[in-house]
């Protein structure tokens, strides 16, 4: 098995604002595993907010490359050799892809999941002025679900702008840890009145114990606070939903295990993503078949249409081909 890794830049058509800053594009790392006449591929997006960089990912990959090429590391051993994070994600997904192609079995057969042709997915609106939020909402009249980023200067005005424009569309908000507990408790009743069905990551990661003081009725979702199965004991009873992302779990292997354990603990499931091309969206799509909320709309934002190989039509995703992955 030969391992190669390449850093490249993915740019967005327009900058996207969230509570921790503005994003115009990000570096991703693509991995290829060549062996037995087939190539398995994976892709990861290092997030600086978690202390990850493309250079660190490339370093981590280089550290295990000799043992991979010597046949000492397979997908199962990889879970022990690298921590959860983007480097393991890229490799884990490449192992899944390689196994599927070498065995002639699809990713659906390997995981035991039911293949689906389409997945309903949300469309995300970033932090904007209320006027711009309303304009963007009008462009998404056919969306089945909207995610609205909050944590800015005009949060409730923006929520009202969406709800007035799209009175019947399912709506949830994502704060990316940008509020305090006082803000959460003050705004939750207003969000409930506007038929917001979920608040994602209201408080910063590491402040989950404060959720014990939440008195609102809108269910909460853990995103940055939910990395892998080791977090579930801290999240259970505080959050109704777990947002599972492959770059956090370190690949599809842990993501599937996390999904099943979270569900066994009574938590509801959401799949999300960092930046990524269709190569990253394909394994996330597989995970999405287990999830109630699918947040995989990044391909709508990418500048290069060639990167959007898992298609999103503004309401749903269309399943990927085996030429791409799995």
């Amino acid at each position: 098995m030969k391992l190669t890794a390449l850093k490249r830049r993915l740019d967005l058509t327009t900058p996207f604002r969230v509570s921790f800053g503005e994003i115009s594009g990000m570096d991703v790392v693509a991995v290829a595993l060549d062996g037995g006449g087939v190539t398995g591929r994976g892709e990861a997006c290092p997030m600086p907010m978690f202390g990850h960089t493309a250079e660190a990912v490339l370093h981590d990959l280089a550290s295990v490359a000799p043992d991979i090429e010597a046949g000492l590391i397979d997908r199962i051993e990889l879970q022990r050799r690298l921590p959860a994070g983007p480097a393991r994600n890229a490799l884990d997904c490449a192992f899944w892809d390689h196994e599927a192609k070498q065995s002639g079995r699809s990713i659906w057969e390997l995981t035991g999941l039911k293949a689906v042709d389409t997945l309903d997915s949300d469309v995300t609106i970033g932090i904007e002025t209320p006027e711009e939020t309303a304009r963007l909402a009008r462009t998404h009249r056919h969306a089945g679900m909207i995610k609205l980023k909050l944590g800015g200067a005009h949060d409730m005005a923006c929520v009202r702008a969406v709800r007035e424009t799209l009175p019947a569309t399912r709506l949830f908000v994502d704060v990316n840890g940008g509020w305090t507990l006082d803000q959460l408790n003050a705004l939750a009743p207003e969000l409930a009145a506007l038929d917001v069905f979920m608040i994602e990551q209201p408080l910063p990661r590491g402040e989950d114990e404060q959720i014990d003081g939440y008195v609102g009725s809108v269910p909460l979702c853990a995103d940055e606070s939910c990395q892998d199965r080791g977090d579930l004991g801290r999240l259970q009873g505080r959050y109704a939903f777990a947002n599972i992302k492959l770059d956090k779990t370190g690949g599809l292997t842990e993501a599937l295990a996390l999904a099943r354990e979270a569900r066994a603990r009574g938590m509801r499931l959401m799949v999300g993503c960092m930046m990524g091309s269709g190569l990253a969206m394909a394994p996330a799509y597989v995970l999405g078949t287990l999830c109630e909320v699918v947040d995989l709309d990044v391909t709508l934002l990418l500048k290069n249409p060639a990167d959007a190989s898992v298609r999103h039509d503004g309401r749903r995703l269309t399943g990927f081909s085996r030429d791409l992955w799995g």
Side-chain angles (χ1 to χ4, degrees), residues 110-160:
L110 293 180
T111 58
L113 298 176
K114 181 181 178 180
V116 297
D117 293 331
T118 62
L119 279 180
D120 291 340
S121 175
D122 66 0
V123 176
T124 304
I125 298 175
I127 295 177
E128 301 285 354
T129 65
E131 295 76 19
E132 179 63 6
T133 298
R135 186 193 72 78
L136 290 169
R138 286 192 292 273
T139 69
H140 299 311
R141 287 189 179 277
H142 299 294
M145 180 168 55
I146 295 290
K147 177 170 85 168
L148 179 63
K149 294 284 190 177
L150 298 183
H154 310 286
D155 281 350
M156 289 312 304
C158 289
V159 179
R160 286 190 290 271

Side-chain angles (χ1 to χ4, degrees), residues 291-313:
C291 297
E292 176 181 344
V293 177
V294 175
D295 175 28
L296 299 177
D297 66 329
V298 71
T299 54
L300 291 173
L301 309 175
L302 296 175
K303 190 171 186 177
N304 185 352
D307 290 322
S309 47
V310 174
R311 304 295 179 187
H312 194 309
D313 66 3

Side-chain angles (χ1 to χ4, degrees), residues 154-177:
H154 310 286
D155 281 350
M156 289 312 304
C158 289
V159 179
R160 286 190 290 271
V162 174
R163 186 47 82 214
E164 289 167 6
T165 306
L166 303 172
T169 303
R170 294 188 75 205
L171 174 63
F172 71 102
V173 299
D174 181 8
V175 191
N176 290 113

Side-chain angles (χ1 to χ4, degrees), residues 76-300:
I76 302 306
E77 176 63 19
L78 177 67
Q79 312 306 310
R80 294 186 283 270
R81 294 291 294 271
L82 283 180
R88 195 176 80 189
N89 175 32
L91 265 178
D92 181 81
C93 291
F95 270 118
W96 277 107
D97 188 33
H98 189 276
E99 182 179 352
K101 289 180 169 62
Q102 190 170 54
S103 67
R105 302 169 66 199
S106 71
I107 188 65
W108 306 105
E109 293 174 282
L110 293 180
T111 58
L113 298 176
K114 181 181 178 180
V116 297
D117 293 331
T118 62
L119 279 180
D120 291 340
S121 175
D122 66 0
V123 176
T124 304
I125 298 175
I127 295 177
E128 301 285 354
T129 65
E131 295 76 19
E132 179 63 6
T133 298
R135 186 193 72 78
L136 290 169
R138 286 192 292 273
T139 69
H140 299 311
R141 287 189 179 277
H142 299 294
M145 180 168 55
I146 295 290
K147 177 170 85 168
L148 179 63
K149 294 284 190 177
L150 298 183
H154 310 286
D155 281 350
M156 289 312 304
C158 289
V159 179
R160 286 190 290 271
V162 174
R163 186 47 82 214
E164 289 167 6
T165 306
L166 303 172
T169 303
R170 294 188 75 205
L171 174 63
F172 71 102
V173 299
D174 181 8
V175 191
N176 290 113
W179 285 350
T180 65
L181 178 60
D182 287 343
Q183 285 176 293
L184 172 61
N185 281 329
L187 297 179
E190 297 182 62
L191 294 172
L194 291 167
D195 199 22
V196 170
F197 75 86
M198 182 177 74
I199 304 170
E200 185 180 349
Q201 196 65 40
L203 307 185
R205 181 186 178 198
E207 297 185 9
D208 304 294
E209 291 79 4
Q210 290 195 47
I211 296 297
D212 294 341
Y214 174 55
V215 296
S217 62
V218 182
L220 305 182
C221 175
D223 178 5
E224 287 86 352
S225 290
C226 181
Q227 303 290 308
D228 57 26
R229 281 176 289 173
D231 293 316
L232 288 176
R234 175 171 40 82
L235 305 180
Q236 186 179 6
R238 291 177 170 137
Y239 298 90
F241 288 83
N243 185 355
I244 306 173
K245 297 177 179 176
L246 302 186
D247 278 314
K248 295 187 301 180
T249 64
L252 184 61
T253 301
E254 174 62 20
L256 292 173
L258 171 58
R260 288 166 176 141
E261 184 170 334
R263 179 180 284 172
R265 288 172 177 259
M267 297 183 74
R268 299 158 75 180
L269 303 182
M270 172 179 175
V271 59
C273 62
M274 309 303 186
M275 190 79 74
S277 72
L279 182 56
M281 295 307 107
Y285 186 107
V286 173
L287 176 63
T289 63
L290 296 175
C291 297
E292 176 181 344
V293 177
V294 175
D295 175 28
L296 299 177
D297 66 329
V298 71
T299 54
L300 291 173

Side-chain angles (χ1 to χ4, degrees), residues 306-325:
D307 290 322
S309 47
V310 174
R311 304 295 179 187
H312 194 309
D313 66 3
R315 188 179 183 92
R316 61 183 60 85
L317 291 160
T318 300
F320 54 93
S321 72
R322 295 190 68 183
D323 291 338
L324 173 66
W325 191 82

